Amino acid sequence: MLTLPNLLTLSRIVAIPLLAWFLWWPDWIDGYAAGFVLYCLMGITDYFDGYLARTQGTVSKLGVFLDPIADKIMVAAVILLLVGTRGAQPAIIPGIHQIAALVILLREIAVSGLREFLAQLQVSVPVSKLAKWKTTLQLVSLGALILGGALPAAPWVDQVGLWTLWGAAALTLVTGWDYLRVGLKHMD
């Protein structure tokens, strides 16, 4: 049960409060730098937990259950902290860009509910290649936005983060629709 891949997944979940703490203080440049490093480490463990589970033949029900939850909790926490304002500090994801963040959050919730519904019907919906690209773009976007908080003298980093956030939101809509179409086939 507690294989190395599962421990890596659990480490991501345990690290989320620390990541949130680093990002809580929007004017703390060193916190954003530390948050970026931690975020990257979390991304690396996300890659390796799946890779190791597949190559070692240790894919487990616990890992299949926890891995997407760890990803969704991390993404939701980062988005919430980056759209929030604290005191006089503006949001890292400002104004109209918050729509892209909202699209991502709503899709994650909807697809989770749909997967739960389909699981009760014993219908499995595999993750598509496009959904993997969506996740990659989403993680790159959030990483760039965190890095932008650590590098206020390089506003282009924020711009990369915001553009890729919109790209991720577009793929989010496409992949969300794909999942919904599959789910609708199983609804009475």
Side-chain angles (χ1 to χ4, degrees):
M1 179 84 55
L2 286 182
T3 61
L4 179 57
N6 288 345
L7 289 172
L8 289 173
T9 300
L10 287 169
S11 75
R12 286 201 325 273
I13 293 170
V14 169
I16 291 168
L18 180 59
L19 178 62
W21 187 75
F22 285 138
L23 302 181
W24 184 258
W25 318 102
D27 56 345
W28 185 29
I29 292 172
D30 291 339
Y32 269 76
F36 178 72
V37 170
L38 180 59
Y39 181 83
C40 290
L41 288 173
M42 293 167 80
I44 291 167
T45 63
D46 185 26
Y47 171 79
F48 277 110
D49 67 12
Y51 174 79
L52 291 172
R54 286 186 300 277
T55 59
Q56 296 175 349
T58 57
V59 174
S60 68
K61 290 178 183 177
L62 179 64
V64 170
F65 169 72
L66 285 180
D67 186 62
I69 289 174
D71 295 343
K72 287 171 182 20
I73 293 170
M74 180 181 73
V75 166
V78 171
I79 286 175
L80 287 173
L81 286 161
L82 296 181
V83 300
T85 57
R86 287 172 292 289
Q89 294 296 328
I92 301 290
I93 301 175
I96 193 85
H97 302 292
Q98 293 179 359
I99 292 171
L102 183 61
V103 165
I104 290 168
L105 285 177
L106 293 177
R107 184 261 191 203
E108 295 300 339
I109 293 167
V111 168
S112 294
L114 182 60
R115 284 183 174 276
E116 184 177 331
F117 168 76
L118 293 173
Q120 293 173 359
L121 301 175
Q122 297 181 343
V123 174
S124 175
V125 182
V127 176
S128 68
K129 287 196 183 285
L130 193 58
K132 290 183 181 191
W133 278 106
K134 180 268 315 174
T135 300
T136 300
L137 203 55
Q138 185 175 282
L139 294 176
V140 167
S141 168
L142 296 177
L145 291 166
I146 293 169
L147 182 60
L151 301 172
W156 65 270
V157 176
D158 282 327
Q159 291 304 309
V160 167
L162 293 173
W163 280 103
T164 54
L165 184 70
W166 280 103
L171 289 179
T172 291
L173 289 173
V174 171
T175 59
W177 174 249
D178 289 344
Y179 284 119
L180 183 60
R181 277 189 333 200
V182 171
L184 288 174
K185 292 177 185 176
H186 298 282
M187 294 183 192
D188 295 326

